Short mmCIF file of all heavy atoms in Angstrom, two decimals:
data_model
loop_
_atom_site.label_atom_id
_atom_site.label_comp_id
_atom_site.label_asym_id
_atom_site.label_seq_id
_atom_site.Cartn_x
_atom_site.Cartn_y
_atom_site.Cartn_z
N SER A 202 -9.28 12.61 24.85
CA SER A 202 -10.52 12.87 25.24
C SER A 202 -11.51 12.84 24.21
O SER A 202 -12.66 12.19 24.37
CB SER A 202 -10.74 14.30 26.02
OG SER A 202 -10.58 15.29 25.02
N ILE A 203 -11.16 13.09 22.97
CA ILE A 203 -12.02 13.03 21.88
C ILE A 203 -12.22 11.56 21.36
O ILE A 203 -13.27 11.15 20.96
CB ILE A 203 -11.55 14.02 20.79
CG1 ILE A 203 -11.55 15.36 21.22
CG2 ILE A 203 -12.34 13.77 19.39
CD1 ILE A 203 -12.84 15.89 21.74
N VAL A 204 -11.08 10.83 21.22
CA VAL A 204 -11.34 9.52 20.81
C VAL A 204 -12.07 8.72 21.81
O VAL A 204 -12.84 7.77 21.53
CB VAL A 204 -9.82 8.85 20.54
CG1 VAL A 204 -9.13 8.45 21.85
CG2 VAL A 204 -10.09 7.61 19.65
N LEU A 205 -11.98 8.90 23.14
CA LEU A 205 -12.78 8.19 24.08
C LEU A 205 -14.24 8.60 23.97
O LEU A 205 -15.15 7.71 23.99
CB LEU A 205 -12.33 8.78 25.58
CG LEU A 205 -11.25 8.04 26.18
CD1 LEU A 205 -10.84 8.71 27.54
CD2 LEU A 205 -11.49 6.55 26.42
N ALA A 206 -14.54 9.90 23.67
CA ALA A 206 -15.88 10.37 23.52
C ALA A 206 -16.48 9.73 22.32
O ALA A 206 -17.63 9.30 22.32
CB ALA A 206 -15.94 11.92 23.35
N LEU A 207 -15.79 9.67 21.15
CA LEU A 207 -16.32 9.05 20.01
C LEU A 207 -16.58 7.48 20.14
O LEU A 207 -17.43 6.98 19.50
CB LEU A 207 -15.30 9.24 18.82
CG LEU A 207 -15.26 10.64 18.28
CD1 LEU A 207 -14.07 10.81 17.41
CD2 LEU A 207 -16.54 10.98 17.51
N ALA A 208 -15.88 7.00 20.95
CA ALA A 208 -16.02 5.55 21.25
C ALA A 208 -17.05 5.16 22.19
O ALA A 208 -17.38 3.93 22.30
CB ALA A 208 -14.71 4.93 21.72
N SER A 209 -17.67 6.16 22.79
CA SER A 209 -18.62 5.89 24.01
C SER A 209 -19.80 6.86 24.01
O SER A 209 -20.73 6.73 23.22
CB SER A 209 -17.86 5.84 25.31
OG SER A 209 -17.22 7.13 25.52
N LEU A 210 -19.80 7.82 25.02
CA LEU A 210 -20.92 8.59 25.31
C LEU A 210 -21.06 9.94 24.64
O LEU A 210 -22.09 10.67 24.92
CB LEU A 210 -20.89 8.83 26.89
CG LEU A 210 -21.01 7.61 27.73
CD1 LEU A 210 -20.88 7.98 29.24
CD2 LEU A 210 -22.30 6.91 27.42
N GLY A 211 -20.06 10.25 23.87
CA GLY A 211 -20.08 11.47 23.13
C GLY A 211 -19.32 12.58 23.94
O GLY A 211 -18.87 12.47 25.00
N PHE A 212 -19.27 13.78 23.34
CA PHE A 212 -18.52 14.86 23.83
C PHE A 212 -18.94 15.57 25.12
O PHE A 212 -18.17 15.91 25.84
CB PHE A 212 -18.36 16.04 22.75
CG PHE A 212 -17.80 15.49 21.35
CD1 PHE A 212 -18.59 15.65 20.12
CD2 PHE A 212 -16.66 14.83 21.26
CE1 PHE A 212 -18.14 15.27 19.01
CE2 PHE A 212 -16.15 14.27 20.05
CZ PHE A 212 -17.03 14.57 18.86
N GLU A 213 -20.15 15.52 25.35
CA GLU A 213 -20.66 16.29 26.51
C GLU A 213 -20.80 15.30 27.66
O GLU A 213 -20.72 15.78 28.78
CB GLU A 213 -22.05 16.81 26.14
CG GLU A 213 -22.34 17.76 25.07
CD GLU A 213 -21.46 19.08 25.25
OE1 GLU A 213 -21.08 19.39 26.44
OE2 GLU A 213 -20.87 19.55 24.35
N GLU A 214 -20.90 14.03 27.45
CA GLU A 214 -20.87 13.03 28.63
C GLU A 214 -19.77 12.49 29.01
O GLU A 214 -19.50 11.83 30.09
CB GLU A 214 -22.00 12.00 28.33
CG GLU A 214 -23.44 12.47 28.06
CD GLU A 214 -23.98 13.33 29.34
OE1 GLU A 214 -23.72 12.75 30.46
OE2 GLU A 214 -24.67 14.29 29.09
N THR A 215 -18.63 12.74 28.17
CA THR A 215 -17.33 12.16 28.53
C THR A 215 -16.60 13.16 29.45
O THR A 215 -16.46 14.42 29.07
CB THR A 215 -16.48 11.86 27.30
OG1 THR A 215 -17.27 10.83 26.64
CG2 THR A 215 -15.10 11.34 27.64
N LYS A 216 -16.35 12.96 30.69
CA LYS A 216 -15.88 13.90 31.62
C LYS A 216 -14.37 13.83 31.65
O LYS A 216 -13.57 12.76 31.81
CB LYS A 216 -16.39 13.63 33.04
CG LYS A 216 -17.87 13.62 33.00
CD LYS A 216 -18.53 14.91 32.42
CE LYS A 216 -19.95 14.85 32.47
NZ LYS A 216 -20.63 16.03 31.72
N VAL A 217 -13.65 15.02 31.73
CA VAL A 217 -12.30 15.14 31.74
C VAL A 217 -11.61 15.93 32.79
O VAL A 217 -12.29 17.05 33.26
CB VAL A 217 -11.77 15.83 30.28
CG1 VAL A 217 -10.43 16.01 30.27
CG2 VAL A 217 -12.39 15.01 29.19
#
Side-chain angles (χ1 to χ4, degrees):
S202 68
I203 298 305
V204 74
L205 278 174
L207 288 167
S209 60
L210 295 178
F212 304 123
E213 301 300 333
E214 297 301 320
T215 301
K216 305 305 180 184
V217 179

